[in-house]
Amino acid sequence: MALTRPALTRRRIRALVAVAVALAALTGAFVWFVGSEDRALEGACDGVLPVGEVRSVLGDDTELDVTNRTEGSFGKKAGSAAKGAKSGESAKSAKSANSDESGAKRANSLSVHCRVTAEDTGHIAVSIAGSPRPRAEYGYDDLYTAVPARRTLPVPLGHGWSGLFATDTARLDDAEDGTATTAVLLDCARRGDSLLITVETALRGAATLDDPAVRPDFVRTATATAEAANDHWGCGARLGKPVRTVGLPVNADEYEPLLGAKGTCAAVPTASRSAVSTARETARDRAPRESCVLGTRDGSPLYRLEAYYGPYAEDARSQYTRDYDYENVTPAEKPAGRLGQSAYWAGATCPRGAESALYLIRADAADGETRRRPDLAYERAALAAFAAASAEHHGCAAPSLPKG
């Protein structure tokens, strides 16, 4: 017997149409929400955030929350910065792109921040800053996003990049073991201009910095962002290669005999009077910031030597202007000298109009007024050796050194 289809009444037709419309609306809403998230990612950090890398690190299927802020300009003359403010650029940022005291145009007020958060995975926070900054910003807050360097020594990124890999801790199972900061400095083709890209990556769960196979995950968003930023803002910097391996920041107990130092502490002399015989150091490898910690035989720190290049040198001088305004002279006013009773500094002119390098030696955890018998001659000798070796590595001139 032939089967016949039941006739569709008008009521049934209206019900089916209503269901179809509802499904279409739901599908459209789903597509809109997914598309909205993708559009937010693609527009983050002025469009230079590498979407594929971010999703790979935080998870392809996870829901992401994106925040974004872009202001200022890069590579423009001070007079045109206010006229050419783009969408999202504040009037205050445009105004701050002005001339410094020497009359040189310092219009790099570019400041970009974006953050991508996955509820179950972690977050990636990116900042991009043009350098040098407008003089009006000096002496207030930090000019650039800092990298952790209090408990560990940042290590160079290597692989042809001028950069740093830093953490507050590099210990397995520590609460912050899944958080690291990568900084990449792009030395632009325009004389004296640069871009500093700083990325904090925090991953929850099984991710640990102790695993060398995992560490590149904490780095690749920064290098991919740097590549995109280099093109986006017409920087024209020399780029590095993909980072497939990266070392761990150096912990406090990872000291060695100073006489065998081959990295940032190489050539620094020992001192019998000050009991300086050990060192904590890293490789140099074009790092824009270098550290060397000198200590006693059991590793107890006595002195900390620091080298700052590019934006980091500019930021350090700005901070000393702010924090030591009671001093007659600071590193911002003079190429070399003594800061208070516990520090000396030196400086060196670097090629292509870059910010002059800054070198410091400071007694570890010392209040200058409480040091009983400071070995000032050794401090100057250690600073001279450290600064000379670092300046040569970076192609800078022989450092100007403090007098006795």
Side-chain angles (χ1 to χ4, degrees):
M1 183 176 70
L3 297 176
T4 59
R5 297 175 185 245
L8 291 176
T9 65
R10 289 182 179 177
R11 180 177 295 177
R12 286 178 176 172
I13 291 173
R14 283 197 296 270
L16 287 172
V17 169
V19 170
V21 169
L23 287 173
L26 287 172
T27 303
F30 175 75
V31 171
W32 185 87
F33 279 122
V34 172
S36 176
E37 183 178 284
D38 286 341
R39 284 193 296 272
L41 264 180
E42 290 168 1
C45 277
D46 215 36
V48 301
L49 192 69
V51 175
E53 296 290 351
V54 170
R55 285 200 175 278
S56 175
V57 172
L58 294 181
D60 289 326
D61 300 325
T62 187
E63 184 177 338
L64 303 177
D65 177 64
V66 182
T67 60
N68 185 47
R69 176 169 60 85
T70 299
E71 37 184 42
S73 61
F74 182 72
K76 294 183 179 181
K77 291 184 178 179
S80 64
K83 295 179 184 177
K86 297 179 184 178
S87 61
E89 179 181 43
S90 70
K92 180 179 179 182
S93 296
K95 281 183 181 179
S96 68
N98 53 13
S99 301
D100 66 11
E101 294 173 1
S102 66
K105 302 295 183 182
R106 304 175 73 90
N108 291 328
S109 56
L110 179 69
S111 180
V112 180
H113 298 272
C114 63
R115 182 183 177 101
V116 182
T117 304
E119 183 176 354
D120 297 325
T121 310
H123 72 259
I124 293 174
V126 180
S127 71
I128 304 169
S131 174
R133 304 302 296 174
R135 183 66 69 177
E137 296 183 11
Y138 282 40
Y140 296 98
D141 294 332
D142 293 352
L143 298 180
Y144 304 96
T145 302
V147 295
R150 185 170 58 89
R151 290 189 286 175
T152 61
L153 303 184
V155 294
L157 204 52
H159 303 275
W161 295 98
S162 176
L164 297 166
F165 183 64
T167 64
D168 268 333
T169 178
R171 289 296 179 217
L172 183 66
D173 294 330
D174 280 357
E176 298 175 0
D177 184 45
T179 301
T181 300
T182 304
V184 178
L185 176 61
L186 298 178
D187 185 11
C188 298
R190 287 188 300 271
R191 184 177 175 85
D193 282 354
S194 62
L195 288 168
L196 182 61
I197 296 92
T198 309
V199 178
E200 180 189 78
T201 303
L203 299 178
R204 302 190 190 97
T208 171
L209 292 167
D210 227 38
D211 184 350
V214 170
R215 285 198 291 273
D217 290 346
F218 292 83
V219 171
R220 63 190 197 212
T221 301
T223 54
T225 300
E227 291 177 4
N230 188 53
D231 181 63
H232 183 70
W233 282 288
C235 175
R238 185 182 69 178
L239 301 177
K241 299 175 182 179
V243 178
R244 308 200 187 281
T245 60
V246 63
L248 274 174
V250 180
N251 279 301
D253 59 357
E254 296 178 287
Y255 56 89
E256 302 170 344
L258 177 55
L259 286 175
K262 297 179 180 178
T264 50
C265 294
V268 176
T270 59
S272 56
R273 177 185 162 188
S274 301
V276 174
S277 61
T278 60
R280 275 198 299 142
E281 63 171 358
T282 71
R284 286 201 163 96
D285 207 0
R286 298 188 62 216
R289 177 175 173 177
E290 299 174 2
S291 301
C292 163
V293 178
L294 305 175
T296 60
R297 186 163 53 176
D298 66 357
S300 299
L302 293 173
Y303 297 105
R304 189 179 183 103
L305 289 151
E306 301 274 4
Y308 302 91
Y309 292 90
Y312 292 107
E314 183 189 11
D315 200 5
R317 288 189 172 95
S318 172
Q319 290 182 41
Y320 280 115
T321 300
R322 176 193 66 199
D323 299 339
Y324 287 82
D325 57 355
Y326 54 86
E327 292 283 344
N328 292 329
V329 179
T330 72
E333 289 85 38
K334 199 175 177 183
R338 189 177 180 188
L339 192 64
Q341 300 298 312
S342 61
Y344 282 105
W345 82 87
T349 302
C350 294
R352 301 186 63 256
E355 178 81 15
S356 293
L358 177 64
Y359 311 99
L360 287 134
I361 184 168
R362 178 181 293 279
D364 190 86
D367 180 348
E369 302 304 320
T370 63
R371 295 207 299 158
R372 292 184 177 179
R373 295 180 60 213
D375 193 347
L376 301 181
Y378 172 74
E379 292 171 17
R380 292 192 299 271
L383 176 62
F386 173 77
S390 182
E392 182 180 5
H393 176 80
H394 287 267
C396 300
S400 298
L401 300 173
K403 306 299 181 184

